[in-house]
Amino acid sequence: MISKDTFPKLFTEIDASIRHHYWFLNEEDVCYSIGEHTARKGYQHSTTNQLISNFKKLIDRQANAEWRYKQQAISAAAEAF
């Protein structure tokens, strides 16, 4: 479950100072992020990693008890926006 206390509440603009981390963005792109995903660290690494892991659950998991975590991730992402 995603804790509302630990999920970021503000958007961060991807500006010139950090754009080099996002090679796929052009200088003209206006982009914001919420949370920071750390690749290959797993869901236990951070709240954002947990949210993304749960959000990415495939439809074939719908019959399993873990599906509620996907639904919670969708709700948490919607509330953040």
Side-chain angles (χ1 to χ4, degrees):
M1 182 170 168
I2 304 299
S3 168
K4 291 181 181 179
D5 297 330
T6 57
F7 194 69
K9 298 191 177 22
L10 299 175
F11 287 95
T12 301
E13 182 175 4
I14 308 301
D15 61 14
S17 68
I18 59 174
R19 189 175 310 277
H20 64 278
H21 294 292
Y22 304 92
W23 57 269
F24 46 86
L25 294 176
N26 297 317
E27 288 185 34
E28 303 82 30
D29 292 336
V30 177
C31 187
Y32 295 85
S33 69
I34 186 164
E36 185 67 32
H37 177 261
T38 306
R40 296 174 295 284
K41 292 291 185 176
Y43 72 91
Q44 294 177 330
H45 179 73
S46 69
T47 302
T48 304
N49 276 25
Q50 181 183 25
L51 177 103
I52 291 171
S53 176
N54 287 329
F55 192 81
K56 289 171 56 176
K57 289 187 185 303
L58 300 176
I59 195 75
D60 67 352
R61 310 305 298 164
Q62 190 172 16
N64 299 343
E66 69 191 68
W67 188 253
R68 68 186 165 127
Y69 297 119
K70 179 171 181 114
Q71 293 171 316
Q72 290 170 350
I74 292 168
S75 293
E79 287 178 26
F81 284 99

